[in-house]
Amino acid sequence: MGIGVTPQADDPRAYDVAVGAGWQIGSGVNGGMLMALLGSALRTTFTGDGHPDPLSVTGYFLTAARPGPGVVHTRVLRTGRSMSTGSASLVQLEDGREVERVRALATYGDLAGLPDDVRTTAVPPDLPPPERCLSTADAPPTAMEHAAFLDRVDLRLDPGCVGWAVGTPSGRGVIQGWLRLADPREPDPVLLLLAADALPPVTFDLGLFGWTPTLELTVHVRALPAAGWLRVRHATRNVAGGLLEEDAEVWDAAGRLVAQSRQLARLPRA
Amino acid sequence: MGIGVTPQADDPRAYDVAVGAGWQIGSGVNGGMLMALLGSALRTTFTGDGHPDPLSVTGYFLTAARPGPGVVHTRVLRTGRSMSTGSASLVQLEDGREVERVRALATYGDLAGLPDDVRTTAVPPDLPPPERCLSTADAPPTAMEHAAFLDRVDLRLDPGCVGWAVGTPSGRGVIQGWLRLADPREPDPVLLLLAADALPPVTFDLGLFGWTPTLELTVHVRALPAAGWLRVRHATRNVAGGLLEEDAEVWDAAGRLVAQSRQLARLPRA
């Protein structure tokens, strides 16, 4: 999906990465993009074991990443027959000192090799077709400042969820829409890590603007995505104590629930 | 909640623990109990920073823990003003060799110090009163083998969710009931880590019996629980590819959603 990681010559478990690099939101870096970066490094680490695909990736966000160079260090904790588990850490230099941005744990496997039983009772979000949804490029620039990020991702939001852009948030705490890479390139498991945190925060739909920093984000990748648009739905049900959970579902063009995620985030400060 | 951890004299970030010790299920150890064990060690680590309470704890389960002695090693990754983040690892000796059982990441804070806004839209599970629910002691012993675990926890299952015990699972993938410590002792944040994985697996309600090993489990603790019974609801919506997610909600006696969790688990092998 165009997120390159380069193993270092003297340490094959350390990967040079370009943080941001077209994935900034304003001066920050999209959290889903950081997950995809860690996921790419782990994919390289585990491919040799026959476990190239993320099944579960958890990131704990420590400090705000900045656009620029970084290094992802991976470590293998366990290699099993059908799955491997490891940790990953993204660090960046700050005033000449290494600062950790995100620590991750992850279990990888082989999605193509999973049994083909599907007994999903969840139903995909009901969305108008992409051409009747709103490109975030249509939104007032002050509301999002997605900037470079929007050159990489083609995001079409359900018009029923974008009242916040014109001062009338629905108050339901739901944001949903279509997503694909702007290349266009077809989705892969690492893109699903990005898709789980690529929409505007559900707090916008509650009329709460400002930065909603993620404390923890876990993505379960449940199947190889079919080619075509992804449908993504974000929702929250427990906004309390200055925190909220945000659940995401990612459905592929074949109608399969290919990823589920949950994050704990801090409400914007009033 | 009666889960003791003893800092080692020469390493205050290593804690001697008794794994199992009344929390076994058959020959295995309850996953929620392992989370509570790691959570207790991290609580001790972070209390000095003014961050005694788990806000988010994630465990990746590596190998099957056994009843007996173990050591939890904790490490501080970041200490902030309102939160601290660290990692924890449970190891046990196996044939004289240290084997890692669970690796965790966690963010701790001070639940009593959070703002008092509550805008929860989730609704608590509708349950008959505890005295009209079924103690798991009423279930056929072959169906559960909860054994020692049930001496510690008073669990009352909704009669509408226990058809599996008499050969008629509902097929909905839901299990819910009341939970408290058998002591009886009032709930605390570490108990909520246990409560998130203390009910029989939702696979029972789908008619799938056998071991459902957890790959990953994340618990968000959202508020200090009030005294009294906890209401716990487990549900799944995506059983596919030999895996399932299991979401849990824990509500306290005051009607507050005090914990939310999600796990990725493997379906019992057919």
Side-chain angles (χ1 to χ4, degrees):
Chain A
M1 58 165 293
I3 292 193
V5 299
T6 309
Q8 293 183 350
D10 56 344
D11 181 356
R13 291 285 173 266
Y15 304 86
D16 290 316
V17 299
V19 178
W23 297 90
Q24 300 96 317
I25 304 177
S27 61
V29 180
N30 174 264
M33 188 273 170
L34 296 176
M35 292 288 281
L37 209 55
L38 293 160
S40 280
L42 286 162
R43 181 183 180 90
T44 307
T45 297
F46 287 128
T47 291
D49 298 318
H51 303 149
D53 302 318
L55 300 179
S56 179
V57 182
T58 297
Y60 276 73
F61 293 77
L62 302 167
T63 59
R66 302 280 169 227
V71 178
V72 175
H73 297 274
T74 68
R75 185 174 298 184
V76 177
L77 298 176
R78 179 178 176 271
T79 304
R81 194 181 48 81
S82 60
M83 298 173 190
S84 295
T85 299
S87 67
S89 170
L90 169 65
V91 299
Q92 290 188 297
L93 283 179
E94 202 171 274
D95 302 328
R97 200 169 54 90
E98 262 199 357
V99 179
E100 187 168 12
R101 302 307 193 193
V102 192
R103 175 71 64 96
L105 290 172
T107 291
Y108 274 56
D110 176 16
L111 288 169
L114 293 181
D116 56 6
D117 62 301
V118 179
R119 293 192 283 174
T120 303
T121 56
V123 292
D126 192 20
L127 289 175
E131 60 275 13
R132 288 179 39 215
C133 286
L134 296 170
S135 164
T136 41
D138 300 334
T142 49
M144 298 204 41
E145 298 182 7
H146 255 188
F149 180 69
L150 291 181
D151 294 339
R152 295 296 190 96
V153 171
D154 190 352
L155 187 58
R156 310 286 178 92
L157 296 177
D158 180 349
C161 296
V162 295
W164 49 266
V166 292
T168 55
S170 85
R172 292 186 306 149
V174 174
I175 292 200
Q176 56 189 23
W178 303 89
L179 184 144
R180 66 177 177 187
L181 288 175
D183 285 341
R185 217 179 297 192
E186 295 305 344
D188 64 27
V190 169
L191 175 66
L192 299 181
L193 302 178
L194 176 103
D197 193 35
L199 271 58
V202 290
T203 43
F204 284 15
D205 192 45
L206 299 172
L208 302 168
F209 299 99
W211 192 42
T212 309
T214 302
L215 309 182
E216 182 272 334
L217 169 59
T218 295
V219 185
H220 297 163
V221 177
R222 300 296 303 276
L224 289 172
W229 284 100
L230 299 170
R231 272 174 292 182
V232 184
R233 181 177 198 270
H234 288 204
T236 185
R237 303 187 313 133
N238 191 22
V239 178
L243 300 167
L244 79 158
E245 104 285 16
E246 184 171 318
D247 285 357
E249 291 179 359
V250 185
W251 297 77
D252 72 5
R256 179 95 185 250
L257 180 48
V258 290
Q260 290 169 283
S261 77
R262 177 173 288 169
Q263 67 174 272
L264 183 65
R266 210 183 63 215
L267 284 174
R269 299 199 193 276
Chain B
M1 59 165 293
I3 292 193
V5 299
T6 309
Q8 293 183 349
D10 56 344
D11 180 357
R13 291 286 173 264
Y15 303 86
D16 291 316
V17 299
V19 178
W23 296 91
Q24 302 94 318
I25 304 179
S27 61
V29 180
N30 173 264
M33 188 273 170
L34 297 176
M35 291 289 280
L37 209 54
L38 293 160
S40 280
L42 286 161
R43 181 183 181 90
T44 307
T45 297
F46 286 128
T47 291
D49 298 318
H51 303 148
D53 302 318
L55 301 178
S56 178
V57 181
T58 297
Y60 275 73
F61 293 77
L62 302 167
T63 59
R66 303 279 169 228
V71 179
V72 175
H73 297 274
T74 68
R75 186 174 297 186
V76 178
L77 298 175
R78 177 179 177 270
T79 303
R81 194 181 48 79
S82 60
M83 297 173 191
S84 294
T85 299
S87 66
S89 169
L90 169 66
V91 298
Q92 290 188 299
L93 283 179
E94 203 172 274
D95 302 327
R97 200 170 55 91
E98 264 199 358
V99 178
E100 188 168 12
R101 302 307 192 192
V102 192
R103 176 71 64 98
L105 290 172
T107 291
Y108 273 57
D110 176 15
L111 287 168
L114 293 182
D116 55 8
D117 61 301
V118 179
R119 292 192 283 174
T120 303
T121 56
V123 291
D126 192 20
L127 289 175
E131 60 275 14
R132 289 179 38 215
C133 287
L134 296 170
S135 164
T136 41
D138 300 335
T142 49
M144 299 202 42
E145 298 182 7
H146 255 187
F149 180 69
L150 291 181
D151 294 338
R152 295 296 190 96
V153 171
D154 190 352
L155 187 58
R156 309 286 179 90
L157 296 178
D158 180 348
C161 297
V162 294
W164 48 266
V166 292
T168 55
S170 85
R172 292 187 305 150
V174 174
I175 292 202
Q176 57 189 24
W178 303 88
L179 183 145
R180 65 178 177 186
L181 287 176
D183 286 339
R185 218 179 299 192
E186 296 305 342
D188 64 25
V190 170
L191 175 66
L192 299 181
L193 302 177
L194 176 105
D197 193 34
L199 271 56
V202 290
T203 43
F204 283 15
D205 191 45
L206 299 172
L208 301 167
F209 299 99
W211 194 41
T212 309
T214 301
L215 309 182
E216 182 271 336
L217 169 58
T218 295
V219 185
H220 297 162
V221 176
R222 301 296 303 278
L224 288 172
W229 284 100
L230 298 171
R231 273 174 291 183
V232 185
R233 183 179 197 270
H234 288 204
T236 185
R237 303 188 313 133
N238 190 23
V239 178
L243 301 167
L244 79 158
E245 105 285 17
E246 184 170 318
D247 284 359
E249 292 179 359
V250 185
W251 298 76
D252 72 4
R256 179 95 185 252
L257 180 49
V258 291
Q260 291 168 284
S261 77
R262 177 173 288 169
Q263 67 173 273
L264 182 65
R266 210 184 64 215
L267 284 174
R269 299 200 193 278

